[in-house]
Each structure stands twice: as C-alpha cells, then as structure tokens.
Amino acid sequence: DYGQNMELPVFNSEQPGATYYYSPMTVNNLGIVDHAHVYPDRTVGEHMHCHLYTDAIGKKGTNNVASLIMKTLRHLNILCKDSVGSELNIVFDNCCGQNKNNTVLRLAVWISQLAYFLEINFIFLVVGHTKNAADRLFNLLRVMYRKKNLYIFDQLVEALGMSRTITVHPTVSEDFLDYGNLFDFFYKKLTGQIKQNHIFSARQGDEIMIRESVLGQQHEEFIVPIMKKQFKDLDYREKVDLAETKLMTLEWEGINPYKVYELFKNFRPYVPVEFQSDPMYAEPSPEVLAKVKAEKVDRKEFRATLKK
C-alpha cells in the first residue's frame, strides 16, 4: 500500500509561515508488510519494509509497484533459484491505478514461471474493507516525522526509521524496471477480467486462475490462458535470456523544473546554512531556468484569458 505523500523540506515543529504557499519536494512511500518477520528476540510478527523516494526518482505507477515488490522479495531472500517455495500470498488494496492492473497481475505469472513458488496468489481486499497492517504501521512510521523540521532526504530516512517494526529502504532510479513492456512482450492482457475479480493465482504454468471470492460455489474459479502462443514452448533459460533483452530501466523525466526553481529560490533561504549545499537546493541549470520562464509566461497568459 502507498502511504500518504510526505514532503521535503517540511517544517513540522513550527508554523510554516511563507513556505506554506511554496511547492516542496514530494516524497512517495510504499509499504510492504512481512507477516512472518523474525525479530532478534525470536518473536514472529508483522514488519513493514518502507520504500522511500522523491518525485525526482519516480512516480507511483504500475511499474514502480511491480519493481518494489520484486526488490522486497529479493531483500527477504525468498526468491531462491535452488529451491522452490510452496506458496506466496500477497494482499493488496483495491486501487486500480497502482495495484489492480495488468502489469502487477501478470507479475504473479512471471514469478511462478521462474519456478520460485509452486503457487502464487495475489489477493485484493474488497472496496470498503481495505484497512490492513500497512495502514497501521504507517502511523508508527510518521511519529517523529510529525514532530520535526526535516531539510534533506537523509534526515527524513533517519526520522522514519525509529520504530523496530519498520525498515526504511531509500530507493534509487535503477530500482525501477519497465515490467509492463516485458509482460506485454510475453503475455496477453486480462481484458475485462480485472475489476470484478479479487483473487488471481498462478501455478507454474502459462495460465492464470481467477476468482471473484472464495465463497464456495457462489464464485467458481476459471482459467485464463495468458502466454502468447509463440512463447509457450520456451524453457526457463530461454525465458530468462529474452527477459534480459526486454527488461530495461524505467525512463522518468524527473522533477518538474518549476519545483527545482522553487526549492532553490524560495525554500533555500529558510533552510539552515549547513544544509543549503545539499543537491536538492542546487541552483537550476540555464535549461531549467528557461523552462521556468516559459511556464511563467504561459501561466500569466492563462490567468489573463481566464479573467477576460
């Protein structure tokens, strides 16, 4: 689940004053909860892995979610080539834009075809009942964030990592891969099969099993062939070799030039001197300044037209 967006810099220990009207850097945070985490005292319980990145690194799209799921599974060392896991269950909220879509759903088939698990279930909570462990742990994540002035990303990471039940993972642009392009190459899309269903399962084949719910005979499971015909007979090594040519780093245009300008021009004077040299407050390049100037002209013309 994605948590509510955070900001940098943020003035939480005082009145924001003039900065209230400025545009800070947006900070995205995706929480993935491991319900089988083993703590140092040998107790087992829920633990959230929070992936943290600014809008200079990426957005909150389908490829971002798929990439961070894979990053978390690798971090937890449960994607093992020399042994096959029995069953993997991942529970999502019902957000179509980020979770319940063709890119994320076909990830289940991809993981199963790489023989990491015998069965993979992607389970979506029904609308109106989407409160989960991530929502609860997001509150613990923000305890210190709500109390402090934070000026740079490293300070934010430190403030968010105070709870023993949360691990903060700073995310870099190389973490985001274009899984959508890869899956469009190998698989067909689940046209007309997404919104009404809530359980999507893959079992090391070229099919995906879909159910609306597990309510006995009321909602039966049905099977959808998803692999494109020309790839059905490929073995594991051939799929991996093809994937290496298709799975590329996700392209991202970066932060809005106007926000780059505001961070330097408006926020930097309010930031303590020791943090003003941080790259986040760097002076914009001539290209960025030209874009900002053009945007200001466009905004002025738009307001004039609107007023007229």
Side-chain angles (χ1 to χ4, degrees):
D1 193 9
Y2 268 106
Q4 184 181 14
N5 288 347
M6 292 180 280
E7 300 175 345
L8 267 182
V10 62
F11 301 89
N12 283 329
S13 68
E14 60 186 78
Q15 291 290 336
T19 61
Y20 179 83
Y21 301 98
Y22 301 154
S23 299
M25 183 86 79
T26 300
V27 181
N28 304 310
N29 54 109
L30 178 70
I32 301 179
V33 178
D34 174 17
H35 285 270
H37 180 80
V38 181
Y39 286 94
D41 60 1
R42 309 306 300 169
T43 59
V44 178
E46 57 192 27
H47 187 91
M48 184 167 76
H49 296 270
C50 178
H51 298 277
L52 198 70
Y53 59 98
T54 69
D55 53 0
I57 300 298
K59 59 179 181 179
K60 298 195 296 186
T62 59
N63 284 304
N64 305 91
V65 173
S67 298
L68 294 179
I69 288 174
M70 291 299 290
K71 180 181 178 180
T72 304
L73 294 177
R74 291 192 181 97
H75 174 78
L76 295 175
N77 293 320
I78 61 175
L79 296 182
C80 303
K81 294 181 180 179
D82 54 348
S83 63
V84 181
S86 175
E87 184 176 331
L88 172 67
N89 297 304
I90 302 182
V91 181
F92 303 81
D93 68 12
N94 215 40
C95 177
C96 295
Q98 297 160 358
N99 298 333
K100 200 176 185 185
N101 52 69
N102 273 289
T103 299
V104 174
L105 292 177
R106 291 180 293 179
L107 179 65
V109 182
W110 176 248
I111 296 174
S112 71
Q113 289 192 328
L114 295 182
Y116 288 124
F117 292 92
L118 295 177
E119 180 176 351
I120 298 174
N121 300 303
F122 282 9
I123 304 161
F124 292 83
L125 302 171
V126 296
V127 175
H129 301 272
T130 58
K131 292 296 181 183
N132 52 44
D135 293 308
R136 181 168 60 256
L137 292 174
F138 278 134
N139 288 328
L140 295 178
L141 179 75
R142 294 167 177 267
V143 169
M144 296 307 297
Y145 171 80
R146 296 189 184 104
K147 299 178 180 178
K148 287 189 172 184
N149 286 354
L150 302 170
Y151 307 109
I152 60 174
F153 191 77
D154 289 345
Q155 282 186 311
L156 179 64
V157 171
E158 182 180 355
L160 298 181
M162 301 300 290
S163 172
R164 69 185 289 268
T165 58
I166 296 168
T167 299
V168 178
H169 299 271
T171 304
V172 296
S173 57
E174 289 76 18
D175 290 329
F176 294 132
L177 303 175
D178 193 351
Y179 280 98
N181 180 59
L182 174 69
F183 297 157
D184 285 342
F185 178 72
F186 279 115
Y187 306 127
K188 294 179 284 187
K189 292 188 176 181
L190 295 168
T191 305
Q193 305 290 341
I194 295 178
K195 288 188 176 181
Q196 69 271 34
N197 293 297
H198 293 82
I199 302 171
F200 300 81
S201 305
R203 296 163 191 158
Q204 291 198 342
D206 57 5
E207 303 167 331
I208 188 167
M209 281 63 73
I210 301 176
R211 294 188 72 172
E212 188 172 341
S213 76
V214 291
L215 297 176
Q217 299 301 315
Q218 183 177 348
H219 296 132
E220 296 183 358
E221 182 178 76
F222 57 96
I223 299 173
V224 178
I226 195 171
M227 196 80 169
K228 290 182 179 179
K229 291 182 180 179
Q230 62 267 36
F231 302 122
K232 283 189 175 182
D233 297 326
L234 294 182
D235 60 24
Y236 170 84
R237 189 68 256 169
E238 289 172 323
K239 289 176 185 174
V240 171
D241 290 342
L242 268 176
E244 288 179 352
T245 66
K246 292 293 180 181
L247 188 58
M248 310 298 291
T249 303
L250 190 65
E251 294 184 4
W252 173 239
E253 62 272 17
I255 189 173
N256 185 308
Y258 207 86
K259 190 172 288 189
V260 174
Y261 176 80
E262 283 212 358
L263 286 167
F264 171 75
K265 180 71 174 179
N266 296 334
F267 277 108
R268 190 170 179 270
Y270 292 96
V271 171
V273 175
E274 62 266 30
F275 301 116
Q276 290 184 2
S277 59
D278 189 87
M280 192 171 74
Y281 305 108
E283 184 174 0
S285 65
E287 292 79 13
V288 169
L289 290 174
K291 289 181 180 179
V292 171
K293 185 177 180 180
E295 187 170 340
K296 283 185 175 181
V297 172
D298 290 341
R299 290 184 180 187
K300 184 177 180 180
E301 291 177 351
F302 173 78
R303 286 195 296 267
T305 303
L306 191 64
K307 184 176 181 181
K308 183 178 178 180

